[in-house]
Amino acid sequence: MRQQPLSVVIHGHFYQPPREDPWLEEVPHQPSAAPYHDWNERVERECYRAVVASRILDRQGHIRGILNALEWLSFDFGPTLLSWLEREAPDTYAAVLEADLESCRRLDGHGNAMAMAYHHPILPLSDPRDRVTEVRWGIADFRRRFGRDPEGMWLPETAVDADSLDVLAAEGIRFTILAPHQVSTVPTGGRPGRYVTPSGRDIAIFVYDGGVAHDVAFGHLLKDGAAWADRLATFPEGRGKGASRPRLRSMATDGETFGHHHRFGEMALATALEHLRARDDVVVESYASFLARHEPREEVELVAPTAWSCAHGVERWRSDCGCKASPEAESDQSWRGPLRDALTWLAGELHRRYERETAPLLTDPWSARNDYVGTLTPDREATLRPFLERWSSRELSGAEGRRVVEMLEMERNALRLFTSCAWFFDDVAGIEARQVLTYAARAIDLYGEGAGRVRDGLVARLEKGASNDADVGTAGQLYLRSVAAAVPAQLTVAAAAQVVRRLGGGAVQRWGAYTVSVGTTEVSVVHRPTGRSWKGVAEVVGAGPSTLEARVTMPPEPTSRVIRWDDLPVAVQEHLASALALSAQDLSPDTDGAFTHTGPRAVQIHHLHDSLRKVIDVLEERPEPGPPGVAPVGAVEGRLERILDALEALEEGVPYDAETRLWRLLGNGEGRGEGQRELSESVIQDLRRRLGFAVSGP
């Protein structure tokens, strides 16, 4: 009997923790991510945009192919990361969605994308009600983005126990993925195992090949994509033998392996996929498509609670178990327990306030919270009205509606408290732990009457956890000194907006999640997600970073507040610094103005890159034939060549995104691109040479 082709699945778990300032809902500058603005931007540049446009090189080092690897890679993306990509990297975001759509077309509707619990919490450590919300939010977010129901769900850190799987199965999830050490016996042939939850529900469990996964993430397989492909295509002897039995070889790793953890890792991935796709004894597919053909037969038993990144169960997220990101450093993580205890206590206080305030106003407060994720869209104001109409127990006044939304925002921050990265790394003063403490501060800010008691209770509990840095002190000291807002956000944006008005800015300005209207001294601030508004007076004395001084009077604050540069949140400082820089540039048009710190070369490159993208816009969008009044293609070609000449003179390359667009525009190395039949072959070939593309194609 003829051997069935071997099924191969490579899974990438793509995730970054949420990094937004919870007042402005923008990611502030993170110096440790230099030369990029923040870690999301850095990883997007190094990994995500590379994975969706992975270069395949010929032996001369020329680009002979560009592949959206996600079309062939099983993957999940953290919902909060997708929200950032949707807002800040729309081309990459669109490519993620398109990859799943293409895989659905190829695999009879069983696409590559999987869902993920929304805020990446360790589900075995979650409050039971929060566990359900996190899973439902993850499913709803997936449905909105990908236009279908998820078949599988990635468990954050693959952290698993029976109750977590029961929630997944109850919500219609058909399968998840675990590491080999998380089950007592690995199912044969790489096939899925069947797990029966405590309530009698079934869910399939795929167990990935730990050896291959280790050698990709920590070994040398990414140095040779062809060798990696051969390793995946060779099924281990003694497992799943038999001509008629289906076999699956699968592996899972962090998606950031491909380009961020390992430079050019996405190119090795693309090469491996190309080699696998060329074989007639291998089928590259998704877990969902394999499961659709091969239902699980063997029952599996969990080793729980366990996770893929802790040798001690799930202790990494609640105790000093010895697991560290930097094992070579002398440090302890005795702060982990107090941090979790403090945040668990705070969450309980927040939940009680939420239930008490919303019970008279909502038909079912906790079901409403489960549904609230539907409002977390780019147009939040438009989604809130129907949400309130759906869940209100009666017609709400404006003040009541605003308070309901504030309570739901408080609950959103309560869920954010347990983002797993806060405990994963080695010190409570790290940016991930600081981030969840900012969510705590924002939740307390929304708490209302009695917030001082809750803040004091949190700080007292945080005092039991100390940083490894003696200068930082305790987690409680860190919270009071560096995390909690010293000045209410509405006052800081009012002061900054008044500065911008003096520089010639508009009377209505957007500052993150706030809209500010300013007059000569009067100021009005609206927090758009909640609708909360404030009115007052803002008078500015100095406008620069060293001279800023503004006096803001804004009820219900009891007294006027003097605001200086250091009082502003980092995100507000950035907005204001940009406005000051633009003003300096406008006042000194014949100099480099505020951009002198980057040097004239950087300014030239910025303008050349911007001009290049505009030329590509024209070439991509040109109808055929060209309409009257549009410059001839030759004129646009000439401008393109002049830009490339200027970049070469500056010894600067073409930006990654522009290079990708030009590759597609010029015909993907296989002939002329759509809509470019009027371009001469000599022009196309010349541009390919200049851009480092293979001239003759694959």
Side-chain angles (χ1 to χ4, degrees):
M1 185 178 294
R2 186 175 181 273
Q3 179 76 51
Q4 292 188 28
L6 172 68
S7 291
V8 171
V9 175
I10 303 173
H11 183 84
H13 165 55
F14 295 88
Y15 172 69
Q16 291 296 299
R19 304 185 188 280
E20 286 78 5
D21 174 300
W23 285 271
L24 271 74
E25 295 292 348
E26 293 183 347
V27 179
H29 178 55
Q30 296 177 316
S32 61
Y36 300 100
H37 175 270
D38 57 75
W39 279 100
N40 279 5
E41 181 180 280
R42 177 169 174 172
V43 180
E44 194 276 330
R45 296 288 181 87
E46 295 177 347
C47 175
Y48 306 141
R49 69 171 53 185
V51 166
V52 301
S54 301
R55 274 54 172 162
I56 302 174
L57 306 182
D58 63 15
R59 292 184 178 179
Q60 288 72 44
H62 297 136
I63 299 171
R64 64 175 178 82
I66 293 181
L67 175 71
N68 184 344
L70 295 184
E71 293 181 12
W72 300 89
L73 189 75
S74 171
F75 65 87
D76 71 276
F77 270 80
T80 56
L81 173 58
L82 286 175
S83 293
W84 183 89
L85 289 171
E86 183 178 22
R87 183 176 71 248
E88 303 293 343
D91 290 344
T92 301
Y93 176 73
V96 172
L97 303 188
E98 180 63 23
D100 181 65
L101 184 61
E102 287 298 318
S103 66
C104 283
R105 291 170 181 156
R106 188 180 81 252
L107 300 171
D108 297 324
H110 303 287
N112 287 343
M114 292 174 56
M116 194 197 81
Y118 194 88
H119 290 107
H120 207 271
I122 301 302
L123 289 180
L125 299 180
S126 294
D127 170 87
R129 187 162 50 202
D130 289 356
R131 188 183 298 132
V132 171
T133 299
E134 287 286 349
V135 170
R136 289 186 179 178
W137 278 29
I139 291 171
D141 187 82
F142 182 97
R143 190 181 292 124
R144 177 178 78 83
R145 299 182 190 281
F146 294 98
R148 63 183 181 88
D149 289 330
E151 297 182 76
M153 175 169 276
W154 178 266
L155 294 169
E157 301 293 335
T158 73
V160 70
D161 66 355
D163 291 336
S164 300
L165 291 182
D166 193 54
V167 171
L168 265 60
E171 298 302 324
I173 297 298
R174 296 197 63 209
F175 71 90
T176 193
I177 308 166
L178 297 181
H181 70 270
Q182 296 183 272
V183 295
S184 58
T185 303
V186 175
T188 56
R191 295 180 287 273
R194 174 175 175 259
Y195 179 75
V196 181
T197 72
S199 62
R201 299 182 176 96
D202 284 9
I203 187 169
I205 294 178
F206 286 96
V207 179
Y208 66 81
D209 188 307
V212 177
H214 177 274
D215 290 348
V216 167
F218 307 108
H220 302 287
L221 276 183
L222 286 185
K223 295 184 181 299
D224 188 339
W228 177 18
D230 289 342
R231 174 93 172 264
L232 284 170
T234 305
F235 202 87
E237 290 297 324
R239 294 177 56 198
K241 300 175 72 173
S244 63
R245 301 295 301 280
R247 299 168 303 151
L248 170 66
R249 192 85 188 271
S250 75
M251 60 150 289
T253 188
D254 285 327
E256 292 75 22
T257 299
F258 309 118
H260 176 55
H261 298 162
H262 296 278
R263 192 180 183 193
F264 304 128
E266 82 286 350
M267 295 173 67
L269 172 63
T271 299
L273 289 170
E274 184 181 49
H275 279 260
L276 289 168
R277 290 163 57 198
R279 299 180 62 126
D280 59 9
D281 60 342
V282 165
V283 175
V284 180
E285 59 176 317
S286 68
Y287 285 113
S289 62
F290 188 90
L291 182 62
R293 302 193 314 276
H294 309 295
E295 289 291 328
R297 297 180 182 179
E298 298 177 53
E299 291 202 9
V300 295
E301 182 179 338
L302 291 181
V303 178
T306 50
W308 75 345
S309 52
C310 180
H312 315 92
V314 293
E315 294 306 306
R316 186 169 192 158
W317 298 275
R318 64 180 175 187
S319 71
D320 185 9
C321 68
C323 289
K324 298 196 294 185
S326 301
E328 71 283 357
E330 291 187 9
S331 63
D332 71 71
Q333 285 69 53
S334 58
W335 53 267
R336 284 176 176 162
L339 178 63
R340 180 163 289 276
D341 291 344
L343 295 181
T344 299
W345 175 85
L346 174 61
E349 294 292 313
L350 301 175
H351 295 336
R352 281 187 285 275
R353 169 56 61 91
Y354 170 74
E355 190 167 54
R356 184 166 65 251
E357 285 208 33
T358 61
L361 305 175
L362 299 176
T363 56
D364 185 338
W366 296 110
S367 294
R369 186 184 76 160
N370 288 341
D371 190 40
Y372 186 62
V373 66
T375 71
L376 305 181
T377 67
D379 188 11
R380 294 190 63 191
E381 294 93 322
T383 60
L384 280 169
R385 182 179 295 277
F387 170 84
L388 290 173
E389 291 175 350
R390 187 162 59 249
W391 289 104
S392 298
S393 57
R394 56 175 172 77
E395 186 173 347
L396 302 180
S397 68
E400 288 173 331
R402 286 191 294 271
R403 189 57 180 159
V404 165
V405 176
E406 286 181 340
M407 285 289 94
L408 285 159
E409 280 295 294
M410 183 183 75
E411 279 296 311
R412 179 161 77 110
N413 282 283
L415 293 169
R416 285 166 151 178
L417 296 178
F418 299 103
T419 302
S420 69
C421 289
W423 289 268
F424 185 87
F425 296 98
D426 296 351
D427 197 83
V428 73
I431 59 175
E432 294 82 9
R434 286 175 184 254
Q435 188 69 37
V436 300
L437 290 176
T438 66
Y439 297 141
R442 176 57 173 154
I444 293 171
D445 184 40
L446 293 165
Y447 186 87
E449 185 180 355
R453 174 191 64 82
V454 176
R455 181 202 60 218
D456 293 345
L458 174 68
V459 171
R461 288 164 175 80
L462 290 174
E463 284 293 307
K464 299 176 183 177
S467 167
N468 288 286
D469 184 345
D471 292 336
V472 172
T474 66
Q477 292 170 328
L478 173 69
Y479 178 88
L480 291 174
R481 184 173 58 249
S482 306
V483 176
V487 179
Q490 64 269 21
L491 273 63
T492 62
V493 297
Q498 193 64 278
V499 172
V500 171
R501 188 193 68 82
R502 286 184 54 179
L503 296 171
V508 178
Q509 304 168 26
R510 290 172 73 98
W511 291 78
Y514 294 87
T515 298
V516 186
S517 302
V518 288
T520 305
T521 58
E522 65 276 10
V523 61
S524 175
V525 179
V526 178
H527 183 249
R528 293 191 304 278
T530 62
R532 177 70 63 182
S533 63
W534 302 264
K535 290 185 178 181
V537 173
E539 299 174 282
V540 177
V541 177
S546 61
T547 61
L548 176 66
E549 183 173 313
R551 182 175 295 276
V552 182
T553 305
M554 185 173 286
E557 287 292 306
T559 60
S560 296
R561 300 288 290 270
V562 175
I563 298 171
R564 296 181 174 85
W565 185 264
D566 289 343
D567 296 323
L568 302 176
V570 172
V572 174
Q573 289 181 3
E574 287 185 85
H575 278 285
L576 191 51
S578 296
L580 292 168
L582 289 173
S583 175
Q585 183 78 353
D586 292 340
L587 292 172
S588 306
D590 297 327
T591 69
D592 294 320
F595 294 101
T596 52
H597 66 283
T598 61
R601 180 177 180 275
V603 176
Q604 293 179 56
I605 291 170
H606 172 79
H607 288 303
L608 286 169
H609 285 176
D610 185 56
S611 297
L612 177 60
R613 293 184 177 100
K614 290 176 180 176
V615 170
I616 297 171
D617 289 342
V618 173
L619 289 170
E620 286 180 336
E621 296 172 5
R622 175 176 299 282
E624 188 185 3
V630 175
V633 171
V636 178
E637 284 177 2
R639 188 177 179 197
L640 174 59
E641 290 185 358
R642 288 194 297 275
I643 292 170
L644 295 177
D645 287 342
L647 288 171
E648 285 182 10
L650 290 167
E651 298 182 346
E652 179 68 18
V654 172
Y656 195 90
D657 60 314
E659 185 182 63
T660 302
R661 293 170 66 193
L662 285 166
W663 170 267
R664 293 167 180 154
L665 182 72
L666 297 177
N668 302 339
E670 300 173 352
R672 299 174 184 175
E674 285 297 317
Q676 296 303 311
R677 297 181 182 88
E678 66 273 77
L679 296 182
S680 67
E681 183 64 26
S682 62
V683 169
I684 292 175
Q685 296 290 24
D686 180 61
L687 287 172
R688 285 181 185 157
R689 289 189 187 94
R690 296 190 64 170
L691 293 164
F693 301 160
V695 172
S696 59

